[in-house]
Amino acid sequence: MTNDFKEILRGRRSIRNYDTGVKISKEEMAEILEEATLAPSSVNMQPWRFLIIESKEGKEKLGPLASFNKLQVETSSAVIALFGDLNNFEYSEEIYSKAVELGYMPLEVKEKQMAFISSIASKLDPQVNRETVLIDGGLVAMQLMLVARSHGYDTCPIGGFDKENIAEAFDLDKNRYVPVMLISIGKAGDNGYKSVRLPIDKVAQWK
């Protein structure tokens, strides 16, 4: 493990070939996910949902759904399927009540927030809701990859998979759970490749 943030940031690579002898325990995977979920989200609704695909049977099911990324699926310790929960507001009472219990939020603020959430949840445009959970999913995905690096593991985000059928393939409600991306995780089987970034004067403006 490392706490050197610059090493974590600059040392991250998108790895496609992993050491098949390395497995990540359920306890450590849970710790990685817990740290990843410290990411911010819209009104703290935390709409991310993780499906950890690590068994032989699970990978065999995933294989045809991510055929362009077969090597990552087969060699990684696990592939994390990240979904956004369109019904995430169902957890608002649990989240805000816990914040009050822990002393993070006064009761009157919680009640004000809950009234606000109830008002927007009832009339929220489905497309806006979908876009919001996808943005929140991107935030937690990047944090997950950096956390994994701090634990000594490598990752790769995967967008090339069958988004239309992956939820149902793993017995999830496709009308509720929106696929965000797959993230392979494990110990790198090679060094990967450094990649070039555009200079800041090409991607940023000051006004």
Side-chain angles (χ1 to χ4, degrees):
M1 293 183 67
T2 179
N3 289 316
D4 185 338
F5 183 70
K6 285 197 173 181
E7 192 285 325
I8 292 169
L9 193 66
R10 297 184 180 278
R12 187 201 61 79
R13 302 279 186 274
S14 291
I15 297 297
R16 292 167 175 80
N17 179 37
Y18 297 87
D19 181 344
T20 56
V22 174
K23 300 300 177 187
I24 302 173
S25 70
K26 184 176 181 180
E27 291 75 20
E28 187 172 20
M29 184 67 81
E31 184 178 350
I32 290 170
L33 294 174
E34 183 178 0
E35 292 169 0
T37 58
L38 294 173
S41 61
S42 179
V43 291
N44 197 26
M45 284 300 97
Q46 308 163 48
W48 39 70
R49 305 291 180 259
F50 306 96
L51 177 65
I52 317 305
I53 304 169
E54 60 179 4
S55 68
K56 180 175 181 291
E57 295 75 17
K59 287 188 170 187
E60 286 176 351
K61 186 179 292 187
L62 178 62
L65 300 168
S67 56
F68 293 112
N69 295 280
K70 183 179 180 182
L71 184 62
Q72 293 182 66
V73 172
E74 291 181 347
T75 63
S76 62
S77 298
V79 177
I80 301 171
L82 172 59
F83 294 87
D85 182 359
L86 295 175
N87 293 0
N88 58 86
F89 291 106
E90 291 182 0
Y91 292 93
S92 57
E93 178 64 39
E94 179 179 345
I95 291 167
Y96 282 93
S97 291
K98 190 67 175 180
V100 172
E101 178 188 330
L102 294 173
Y104 299 162
M105 177 184 291
L107 179 60
E108 58 270 23
V109 174
K110 178 242 180 178
E111 291 174 345
K112 183 177 179 180
Q113 283 290 91
M114 286 298 300
F116 169 72
I117 289 169
S118 296
S119 69
I120 63 170
S122 61
K123 56 187 177 184
L124 185 61
D125 182 279
Q127 185 60 32
V128 172
N129 188 27
R130 182 185 179 91
E131 290 171 359
T132 301
V133 302
L134 290 175
I135 290 169
D136 290 345
L139 290 170
V140 80
M142 189 68 251
Q143 185 138 313
L144 193 158
M145 288 185 279
L146 294 177
V147 168
R149 179 76 182 163
S150 77
H151 279 252
Y153 298 110
D154 299 281
T155 57
C156 184
I158 301 170
F161 63 98
D162 186 348
K163 297 180 179 67
E164 181 63 29
N165 294 302
I166 188 167
E168 285 186 317
F170 287 94
D171 303 317
L172 297 174
D173 180 357
K174 66 182 297 181
N175 294 314
R176 174 168 181 164
Y177 299 104
V178 179
V180 179
M181 69 178 74
L182 304 177
I183 301 173
S184 56
I185 182 170
K187 286 277 190 180
D190 55 46
N191 293 325
Y193 300 96
K194 289 185 177 182
S195 55
V196 172
R197 294 296 183 269
L198 290 168
I200 292 303
D201 62 7
K202 291 279 181 66
V203 300
Q205 297 182 43
W206 278 258
K207 298 288 188 182

